[in-house]
Amino acid sequence: MTKPPFSSNHRATVDEAKAFFAANPDIDAIDIIFTNMCGVPRGKRLRQHEVIAVYEAGRFLPGSVLVVDIVGRDTEETGLVWEDGDADRYVYPVPGTLVRAPWLGEHAAQFLTSFYELDGTPNDLDPRHVLGSVIDELAKDGLTPVVAVELEFYLVDISHGRPIPARGPVTGHRSSDIQVYGLREMEDFKPFFDDLYAACDAQGLPLESGISEYAPGQFEFTLRHKADALRACDDAVMYKRVVKGVAVKHGLEATFMAKPFAETAGSGMHLHVSMNDAEGKNAFASEDPEGTPLLRHAIGGMKAALADSMAIFAPNANSYRRFKANSYAPVAPTWGVNNRTVSLRVPAGSPASRHVEHRVCGADANPYLAVAAVLAAMCDGMREETSPGPAVVGNGYEAEEAKTRLPNHWGSAIEAFEKSDLMKRYLGERFVSNYAVVKGVEMARFMAEVTELDFTWYLRNA
């Protein structure tokens, strides 16, 4: 096991649970949630008295859930199922995450957890602890990451079989136009958005502005930045669950899959990152639109690590369908200022707000792991003073740098991740090895399926 990281090794106290139930005595259906490598929330439903016991002494869950695949199947190849006896580990509550879950009913609540070994050591396959260890590395250099997460998603109708963009509940209109930044589209889904904001407020999630995105039924909302990267990712995980739950309440399905429709834009997760110094000031702040040398070194590190990190940023087979030129999804290790055609963008803004936006991740990526990989690359770039090269001006899809493409196949991305010394150094060798195994097995299972397209293309033509 790795040395227990300080950042993620905080456990909620029983006093927090007692105070919550004193203020919410009606609550008696509480979901205990853990988010594993694949980013899918899993857990149990408990009664109120059981929750108090979890806050006092933890709860046993099988360690095999750390390495189940995207559909919840065991990954025996990790050696953490039969060889391990499918042994239990502890989960302990994450502070500040015991909140009401209004879309589940009047008496429902939830809280997040992290995995620990029986001796109390943080489990090094838990994505939250993986992120915590990277935050600790930055702390050694006197830096605290400030992170904001933007997530795009689609609202779809699945009542007809194959998903199609949802009808707006106000008018019943199903749009076939892009209508980016369309206010009418926001108005048409107002009942959903009202409940979404209300649920986020009930959970203390800092949900801010929202827009109609670059496709029918696609939207993006921003979670306010925080100088606590772990909590920013907790917020993102909780927010995704809220969106999905509120959508179901309205007879809709919300999806964060990277490319639900071939002919329209994919959904991304944009990560906005700056670094506070020991005095709490933005270490990237500068009158120069390109930021300080430290920011440019961070971008250099991010550029250098993009290929090694793609298995995290694009974790599923569908993820790679999103990467197309002139689609607002990046295809090459490029950077620029106020330029949405590159992978790494320094947005326009005041000198004090200077930061970088990482635009590669799909909305299907695990927020903890995506931020961990980004921060690891930034940390390495700042330590090594890595040059990012000149900023791209104009169309990043046609820039000279765009001739070097990011991995665009699932298998090659997994292989690059598994071999990456940088990822092993920052995320941990055991984590990198097991993540590669889980995703490799998942890919084999996916490729073993015979689809309708196989029959359409090959049944008569082969």
Side-chain angles (χ1 to χ4, degrees):
M1 295 295 114
T2 56
K3 181 181 178 181
F6 173 81
S7 299
S8 62
N9 198 24
H10 296 304
R11 307 174 191 175
T13 66
V14 69
D15 290 340
E16 179 181 330
K18 289 178 177 178
F20 175 81
F21 289 121
N24 301 274
D26 60 307
I27 294 293
D28 201 32
I30 304 98
D31 287 347
I32 173 174
I33 300 169
F34 165 69
T35 303
N36 82 338
M37 293 178 179
C38 294
V40 179
R42 303 187 185 278
K44 292 184 174 183
R45 179 155 296 179
L46 307 179
R47 304 294 299 276
Q48 184 178 135
H49 69 277
E50 293 179 284
V51 173
I52 294 295
V54 177
Y55 275 75
E56 287 177 331
R59 181 90 179 195
F60 288 121
L61 284 182
S64 58
V65 301
L66 287 155
V67 290
V68 296
D69 69 8
I70 190 75
V71 296
R73 287 183 290 189
D74 286 334
T75 308
E76 299 173 13
E77 292 81 352
T78 59
L80 293 172
V81 184
W82 311 125
E83 294 90 334
D84 188 54
D86 199 11
D88 281 336
R89 272 82 171 170
Y90 279 120
V91 293
Y92 289 102
V94 173
T97 63
L98 178 54
V99 290
R100 297 186 78 104
W103 69 92
L104 294 176
E106 294 182 0
H107 310 296
Q110 67 177 42
F111 62 94
L112 304 184
T113 63
S114 285
F115 256 85
Y116 293 79
E117 298 297 329
L118 299 184
D119 64 0
T121 304
N123 185 284
D124 56 1
L125 300 182
D126 181 330
R128 199 171 187 277
H129 291 316
V130 172
L131 172 57
S133 67
V134 181
I135 294 170
D136 288 340
E137 282 299 309
L138 286 162
K140 294 176 183 177
D141 299 335
L143 296 171
T144 300
V146 179
V147 175
V149 180
E150 292 178 351
L151 280 157
E152 296 168 338
F153 64 91
Y154 275 87
L155 292 175
V156 299
D157 177 358
I158 59 173
S159 63
H160 303 285
R162 190 177 180 89
I164 56 176
R167 293 184 184 276
V170 173
T171 65
H173 176 66
R174 192 191 314 277
S175 177
S176 59
D177 300 320
I178 291 175
Q179 298 296 356
V180 67
Y181 284 86
L183 293 176
R184 184 68 182 270
E185 284 62 39
M186 299 296 291
E187 294 163 7
D188 220 4
F189 285 90
K190 185 176 186 299
F192 167 79
F193 294 132
D194 287 348
D195 282 355
L196 177 62
Y197 276 113
C200 287
D201 288 347
Q203 296 206 333
L205 301 178
L207 191 64
E208 296 193 326
S209 60
I211 62 167
S212 172
E213 258 294 348
Y214 202 69
Q218 188 187 39
F219 302 93
E220 179 187 65
F221 284 76
T222 299
L223 292 162
R224 187 170 61 248
H225 64 272
K226 288 187 172 180
D228 180 344
L230 276 168
R231 185 63 213 198
C233 292
D234 292 338
D235 289 349
V237 166
M238 293 168 67
Y239 166 69
K240 289 179 74 171
R241 190 164 192 256
V242 172
V243 173
K244 288 174 175 284
V246 173
V248 169
K249 184 179 176 183
H250 284 264
L252 307 169
E253 190 75 27
T255 180
F256 292 87
M257 71 184 289
K259 189 73 170 177
F261 305 109
E263 67 277 8
T264 57
S267 292
M269 177 169 65
H270 301 153
L271 303 174
H272 294 254
V273 186
S274 61
M275 294 285 167
N276 281 352
D277 61 20
E279 297 179 353
K281 297 178 180 178
N282 183 2
F284 295 162
S286 173
E287 295 285 348
D288 185 341
E290 294 187 358
T292 60
L294 191 68
L295 173 55
R296 292 193 288 277
H297 295 327
I299 293 171
M302 295 164 81
K303 275 188 63 179
L306 278 174
D308 287 4
S309 312
M310 282 298 289
I312 295 287
F313 302 149
N316 304 310
N318 177 264
S319 308
Y320 295 85
R321 295 191 169 103
R322 173 174 162 260
F323 298 107
K324 293 182 178 180
N326 304 317
S327 69
Y328 293 106
V331 297
T334 53
W335 80 285
V337 176
N338 194 18
N339 189 337
R340 286 184 173 86
T341 69
V342 297
S343 293
L344 309 167
R345 177 177 79 114
V346 179
S350 68
S353 70
R354 203 72 69 215
H355 69 280
V356 61
E357 178 192 19
H358 185 284
R359 297 175 56 81
V360 179
C361 295
D364 56 343
N366 182 322
Y368 298 116
L369 297 182
V371 172
V374 168
L375 295 183
M378 295 177 76
C379 184
D380 197 68
M382 291 184 291
R383 287 176 174 177
E384 299 298 324
E385 298 186 354
T386 306
S387 171
V392 168
V393 177
N395 188 349
Y397 296 110
E398 296 180 353
E400 183 68 24
E401 295 90 331
K403 292 179 180 179
T404 302
R405 294 300 178 103
L406 299 173
N408 61 356
H409 293 287
W410 199 8
S412 59
I414 295 170
E415 183 178 358
F417 179 75
E418 185 176 22
K419 293 179 178 178
S420 172
D421 290 334
L422 186 144
M423 291 295 109
K424 291 175 185 176
R425 194 162 70 249
Y426 284 92
L427 307 189
E429 287 193 28
R430 198 168 87 103
F431 175 81
V432 169
S433 173
N434 278 272
Y435 184 87
V437 169
V438 170
K439 285 300 172 180
V441 170
E442 191 178 297
M443 181 179 67
R445 289 170 176 169
F446 184 89
M447 294 303 295
E449 295 292 327
V450 179
T451 69
E452 285 301 314
L453 189 61
D454 285 85
F455 293 121
T456 301
W457 282 25
Y458 307 124
L459 184 66
R460 296 186 61 176
N461 297 324

